[in-house]
Amino acid sequence: MDFNQLFRDRTKQFSIAIIRSLSPLPYSDDLSVIRKQIIRSSTSVAANYRAACRARSEKEKFAKICIVVEEIDETQFWLELTEELEYLNYEKSSA
């Protein structure tokens, strides 16, 4: 099994799911800022994982994977905010 391809696909699908779940939300200034941050950080996860797969050295790969970890943590932070602010109900939206 090609785990690099598996994770490239999973991180890309994660980004797509984020965009699709946030796009229908109504416009407001505060939600717009949060939505942009979530989309940027979630798509950065996928982009940086792909870059890690093309790394020219183990040090470069490690650096890119560290960025992936930071971006997924940031995405989690923004998603927690949307839940606490009750913009999204994750129990209903995950069904």
Side-chain angles (χ1 to χ4, degrees):
M1 173 171 271
D2 182 2
F3 287 105
N4 283 331
Q5 186 61 48
L6 174 70
F7 285 112
R8 278 194 301 266
D9 293 344
R10 288 185 73 176
T11 56
K12 183 179 176 183
Q13 290 307 313
F14 172 72
S15 298
I16 291 169
I18 291 288
I19 293 166
R20 285 186 175 150
S21 67
L22 297 177
S23 293
L25 295 177
Y27 178 83
S28 69
D29 288 338
D30 54 345
L31 182 56
S32 179
V33 169
I34 293 170
R35 179 184 1 236
K36 284 181 183 180
Q37 289 297 125
I38 296 171
I39 291 172
R40 284 181 182 147
S41 61
S42 66
T43 55
S44 181
V45 170
N48 280 293
Y49 187 80
R50 289 174 67 107
C53 293
R54 294 186 310 276
R56 294 167 291 204
S57 69
E58 286 301 310
K59 286 183 178 182
E60 184 179 1
K61 184 173 187 168
F62 181 77
K64 293 292 185 183
I65 292 296
C66 287
I67 294 170
V68 170
V69 171
E70 288 177 28
E71 293 296 333
I72 198 68
D73 185 60
E74 181 180 339
T75 302
Q76 182 178 355
F77 168 77
W78 291 113
L79 290 172
E80 288 170 2
L81 275 183
T82 62
E83 185 175 32
E84 290 176 28
L85 292 168
E86 298 179 355
Y87 290 132
L88 287 175
N89 182 338
Y90 292 103
E91 291 177 12
K92 289 182 182 177
S93 64
S94 65

